[in-house]
Amino acid sequence: MEVTPLSSPSPIHRLHLRHKEARFLAVPSTLLCTRRGTTTYVHPILRTSHNCQSPPCSLQAISKKHENVSWLSVSPKLHVQNKFPRDVVVRSELTAAGSAGDGYLLPELKLESKVRGVCFYVVTAFSAIFLFMLMLVGHPSVLLFDRYRRMFHHFVAKVWAALTVAPFYKIEFEGLENLPPPDTPAVYVSNHQSFLDIYTLLTLGRSFKFISKTGIFLFPIIGWAMFLLGVIPLKRMDSRSQLDCLKRCMDLIKKGASVFFFPEGTRSKDGKLGTFKKGAFSVAAKTNAPVVPISLIGTGQIMPAGKEGIVNLGSVKVVIHKPIVGKDPDMLCKEARKTIASVLTQS
């Protein structure tokens, strides 16, 4: 069986089955079946045309296979003329598929998203170059007067993130009153959906230290800026690196800085909240720092995980929940996950 597209304004496929030919077209509500004859059959699913004087035959649940393609017709008894080759035209409508022309919007939207993706990286690269120079000039003063929190660098990073995302999506904040004072060390945790999560969180303007893979520090400009910000490096699948990372987080909190964790450990590819790892909550329990849960909504739709080359249309909502305090890592983990999930399930 061979499948060939026909030239028509709606999705059409031709199925050649030996000497028989079938065409499928998208039209509203019914399946219409016709042939090169003069007889008409009326059926809740199929209407066919045929010659009334033709000898009838029964077709019921016929399945024919050729190469790797199967064709199955399941219907009540149909009487057709079997003396001549038949040309069958079937018109169908997929449920909730919209009009036939809607199917052609996808390539255009895909192209538009790719163009926005290119523009996104152009904007972030150009703004990063100039702002990185500003960070570089101010770095000696930061090391002398604010080595651990590095608030000046985080202010520059906030400007960079805001300039980057402003042309592409809007951010709505909810619960800003739940943020601890800027000079209060805390452990921030959030769900992780997209590469855009970092940009979105930087617009909060809080000087928390992210944890990032060591390889990203090698990226020109962006990686160097992360080094100046004091981002904590981590080698995945290296238990010693993970232990050193947690120790450094506890040390930073004791010295007045805040840290940020994505407890899932990686980005969600289906938007569902994954299992939380307990590292962040062990740090909070041992340092008596509050855990601040944050729910991110919409970043995964704009730039899905694994598709960093596109930027879709959309908006983002950031919900800051009330801080959680406790000395039991398991309790903190369960409570934080439950709090973050409560908003995600409503969206």
Side-chain angles (χ1 to χ4, degrees), residues 121-138:
Y121 288 108
V122 169
V123 171
T124 196
F126 272 97
S127 57
I129 292 171
F130 294 105
L131 292 173
F132 173 72
M133 298 303 297
L134 187 60
M135 291 175 69
L136 200 59
V137 170

Side-chain angles (χ1 to χ4, degrees), residues 49-118:
S49 58
H50 72 95
N51 192 328
C52 292
Q53 299 176 355
S54 305
C57 70
S58 296
L59 295 178
Q60 191 171 18
I62 303 172
S63 176
K64 297 187 179 182
K65 295 184 180 179
H66 184 68
E67 294 178 357
N68 293 325
V69 184
S70 297
W71 183 80
L72 177 65
S73 171
V74 180
S75 68
K77 293 182 179 180
L78 302 176
H79 301 286
V80 296
Q81 186 178 11
N82 60 356
K83 291 173 63 177
F84 308 103
R86 293 174 292 278
D87 184 5
V88 183
V89 179
V90 181
R91 299 174 182 258
S92 66
E93 180 184 44
L94 296 176
T95 304
S99 63
D102 290 344
Y104 293 96
L105 294 176
L106 185 58
E108 297 176 7
L109 290 174
K110 207 169 183 181
L111 178 61
E112 186 181 344
S113 297
K114 287 181 178 179
V115 171
R116 279 198 300 271
V118 171

Side-chain angles (χ1 to χ4, degrees), residues 52-247:
C52 292
Q53 299 176 355
S54 305
C57 70
S58 296
L59 295 178
Q60 191 171 18
I62 303 172
S63 176
K64 297 187 179 182
K65 295 184 180 179
H66 184 68
E67 294 178 357
N68 293 325
V69 184
S70 297
W71 183 80
L72 177 65
S73 171
V74 180
S75 68
K77 293 182 179 180
L78 302 176
H79 301 286
V80 296
Q81 186 178 11
N82 60 356
K83 291 173 63 177
F84 308 103
R86 293 174 292 278
D87 184 5
V88 183
V89 179
V90 181
R91 299 174 182 258
S92 66
E93 180 184 44
L94 296 176
T95 304
S99 63
D102 290 344
Y104 293 96
L105 294 176
L106 185 58
E108 297 176 7
L109 290 174
K110 207 169 183 181
L111 178 61
E112 186 181 344
S113 297
K114 287 181 178 179
V115 171
R116 279 198 300 271
V118 171
C119 294
F120 175 86
Y121 288 108
V122 169
V123 171
T124 196
F126 272 97
S127 57
I129 292 171
F130 294 105
L131 292 173
F132 173 72
M133 298 303 297
L134 187 60
M135 291 175 69
L136 200 59
V137 170
H139 191 62
S141 298
V142 168
L143 292 179
L144 285 172
F145 302 106
D146 191 18
R147 175 180 290 269
Y148 301 108
R149 288 188 297 172
R150 306 191 182 190
M151 296 182 68
F152 173 76
H153 287 346
H154 280 275
F155 172 75
V156 175
K158 176 185 177 180
V159 173
W160 169 67
L163 288 174
T164 300
V165 304
F168 303 99
Y169 63 90
K170 293 182 179 179
I171 304 175
E172 177 190 353
F173 293 100
E174 181 181 315
L176 288 172
E177 67 278 3
N178 294 324
L179 285 172
D183 56 349
T184 301
V187 176
Y188 295 81
V189 294
S190 169
N191 59 308
H192 199 11
Q193 296 182 345
S194 170
F195 178 67
L196 297 178
D197 293 346
I198 302 293
Y199 288 87
T200 302
L201 292 165
L202 284 173
T203 60
L204 282 172
R206 291 306 169 99
S207 56
F208 38 61
K209 309 300 178 189
F210 287 100
I211 298 170
S212 177
K213 293 183 294 184
T214 53
I216 298 180
F217 286 83
L218 301 176
F219 291 5
I221 307 299
I222 302 296
W224 305 338
M226 289 169 57
F227 175 77
L228 297 182
L229 279 167
V231 174
I232 304 167
L234 173 67
K235 292 180 181 178
R236 285 188 176 181
M237 309 306 293
D238 186 333
S239 57
R240 184 173 180 178
S241 176
Q242 293 173 1
L243 186 60
D244 290 341
C245 176
L246 295 179
K247 286 181 178 179

Side-chain angles (χ1 to χ4, degrees), residues 201-320:
L201 292 165
L202 284 173
T203 60
L204 282 172
R206 291 306 169 99
S207 56
F208 38 61
K209 309 300 178 189
F210 287 100
I211 298 170
S212 177
K213 293 183 294 184
T214 53
I216 298 180
F217 286 83
L218 301 176
F219 291 5
I221 307 299
I222 302 296
W224 305 338
M226 289 169 57
F227 175 77
L228 297 182
L229 279 167
V231 174
I232 304 167
L234 173 67
K235 292 180 181 178
R236 285 188 176 181
M237 309 306 293
D238 186 333
S239 57
R240 184 173 180 178
S241 176
Q242 293 173 1
L243 186 60
D244 290 341
C245 176
L246 295 179
K247 286 181 178 179
R248 185 170 174 184
C249 287
M250 288 188 285
D251 185 56
L252 284 168
I253 290 175
K254 291 175 182 177
K255 292 176 179 176
S258 296
V259 293
F260 196 103
F261 286 83
F262 291 113
E264 294 168 279
T266 187
R267 287 168 290 174
S268 171
K269 293 186 178 180
D270 57 6
K272 296 180 181 178
L273 192 63
T275 304
F276 277 15
K277 298 178 181 179
K278 297 180 182 177
F281 309 101
S282 296
V283 171
K286 290 179 180 179
T287 58
N288 202 30
V291 175
V292 183
I294 297 176
S295 298
L296 295 175
I297 306 168
T299 54
Q301 283 75 33
I302 297 174
M303 184 183 285
K307 297 181 180 179
E308 285 71 29
I310 66 172
V311 175
N312 298 315
L313 293 173
S315 60
V316 173
K317 185 175 182 180
V318 181
V319 182
I320 300 100

Side-chain angles (χ1 to χ4, degrees), residues 14-81:
R14 307 189 92 161
L15 301 178
H16 296 278
L17 183 59
R18 295 178 185 173
H19 64 279
K20 303 175 184 63
E21 181 182 24
R23 290 187 300 169
F24 294 81
L25 283 156
V27 296
S29 72
T30 61
L31 290 173
L32 173 63
C33 179
T34 62
R35 54 172 291 277
R36 289 179 186 154
T38 58
T39 308
T40 300
Y41 293 99
V42 179
H43 181 268
I45 297 176
L46 297 176
R47 289 186 227 152
T48 63
S49 58
H50 72 95
N51 192 328
C52 292
Q53 299 176 355
S54 305
C57 70
S58 296
L59 295 178
Q60 191 171 18
I62 303 172
S63 176
K64 297 187 179 182
K65 295 184 180 179
H66 184 68
E67 294 178 357
N68 293 325
V69 184
S70 297
W71 183 80
L72 177 65
S73 171
V74 180
S75 68
K77 293 182 179 180
L78 302 176
H79 301 286
V80 296
Q81 186 178 11

